[in-house]
Amino acid sequence: AIRMTQSPSSFSASTGDRVTITCRASQGISSYLAWYQQKPGKAPKLLIYAASTLQSGVPSRFSGSGSGTDFTLTISCLQSEDFATYYCQQYYSYLITFGGGTKVEIK
Amino acid sequence: EVQLVESGGGLVQPGGSLRLSCAASGFTFSSYWMHWVRQAPGKGLVWVSRINSDGSSTSYADSVKGRFTISRDNAKNTLYLQMNSLRAEDTAVYYCAREKREQQLLMDVWGKGTTVTVSS
């Protein structure tokens, strides 16, 4: 199975900050990469797919980039509602795998 | 409103069985592939299983293959997960999710989840 590694696993930030989360695949996955946001006790929410395509209704402060094995999720100006855990997911292989998650906490 | 509502979770002893259901509404259920994804307490997301739109094709994670069975009833707009030979490590919140049209293996709508606890 393709292993997805996210970094960092957690960090603290302040509202208004620009934050970047990294996801690395153990083998090339082209652009078959999605990002999800999950808040405590809630279901995951799809933010970005095809590495850089914003899902309908997602604020434009979220952006994604990358292809092959290295990907990033960027939040340009962190808002209070963005404090959550973020997961990457590869859908290149039918054996879908997720990264371990990155928790964004309030500084 | 597009909605997925899971049910059927609970406490079960190791070796026992449980059947989860996921009721779909607000979209043409029979046109979509569907998934189950689980999340152990304090842990990340793990894909469990996938079924095609008419129920004729299924796939499973290695960790559940031979023990879990995914199925669907399109007349009832309901997805199922039959879980047998349950182990402590199957303890998790189980989410059903819809596969996004024209984007295979990508999940765009998720239910709120149902909790399964395997313990004696």
Side-chain angles (χ1 to χ4, degrees):
Chain A
I2 299 174
R3 186 173 63 254
M4 306 301 292
T5 304
Q6 286 183 237
S7 61
S9 56
S10 66
F11 66 95
S12 299
S14 301
T15 54
D17 285 352
R18 178 183 180 89
V19 302
T20 298
I21 297 168
T22 297
C23 178
R24 174 166 289 174
S26 62
Q27 66 183 73
I29 59 170
S30 184
S31 295
Y32 294 97
L33 191 283
W35 290 97
Y36 295 86
Q37 177 193 67
Q38 187 180 34
K39 296 181 180 179
K42 301 294 185 181
K45 173 187 174 183
L46 177 63
L47 297 177
I48 288 171
Y49 62 96
S52 61
T53 302
L54 215 59
Q55 172 72 348
S56 176
V58 174
S60 59
R61 64 181 179 273
F62 291 92
S63 63
S65 65
S67 67
T69 60
D70 294 308
F71 302 87
T72 59
L73 170 70
T74 299
I75 309 172
S76 61
C77 183
L78 200 64
Q79 301 298 301
S80 57
E81 60 266 32
D82 301 335
F83 291 97
T85 300
Y86 294 85
Y87 294 93
C88 61
Q89 176 222 328
Q90 66 79 19
Y91 54 105
Y92 178 84
S93 162
Y94 84 94
L95 290 176
I96 295 164
T97 47
F98 292 88
T102 296
K103 186 174 184 179
V104 180
E105 298 176 296
I106 301 172
K107 183 181 287 184
Chain B
E1 179 193 3
V2 173
Q3 198 170 10
L4 296 170
V5 179
E6 302 91 339
S7 61
L11 174 63
V12 61
Q13 292 187 339
S17 298
L18 212 54
R19 188 177 85 156
L20 307 184
S21 300
C22 170
S25 60
F27 65 100
T28 305
F29 178 70
S30 60
S31 297
Y32 287 82
W33 294 53
M34 298 293 295
H35 297 254
W36 287 99
V37 176
R38 69 184 182 184
Q39 186 170 35
K43 302 297 184 181
L45 301 167
V46 176
W47 174 78
V48 172
S49 185
R50 177 190 189 219
I51 188 168
N52 70 342
S53 56
D54 67 8
S56 62
S57 176
T58 59
S59 58
Y60 299 91
D62 287 345
S63 59
V64 307
K65 197 175 296 182
R67 300 188 299 124
F68 289 12
T69 302
I70 190 172
S71 63
R72 64 192 296 160
D73 185 335
N74 286 343
K76 295 183 178 179
N77 291 337
T78 302
L79 174 73
Y80 301 101
L81 186 67
Q82 176 67 43
M83 304 186 296
N84 298 331
S85 303
L86 282 162
R87 306 166 181 167
E89 54 264 36
D90 296 319
T91 294
V93 175
Y94 285 74
Y95 297 100
C96 67
R98 185 183 80 171
E99 185 165 298
K100 187 174 174 65
R101 293 290 288 274
E102 300 173 357
Q103 292 283 342
Q104 282 194 352
L105 304 169
L106 180 68
M107 292 159 275
D108 67 342
V109 177
W110 294 62
K112 294 183 177 181
T114 187
T115 300
V116 173
T117 303
V118 184
S119 175
S120 55

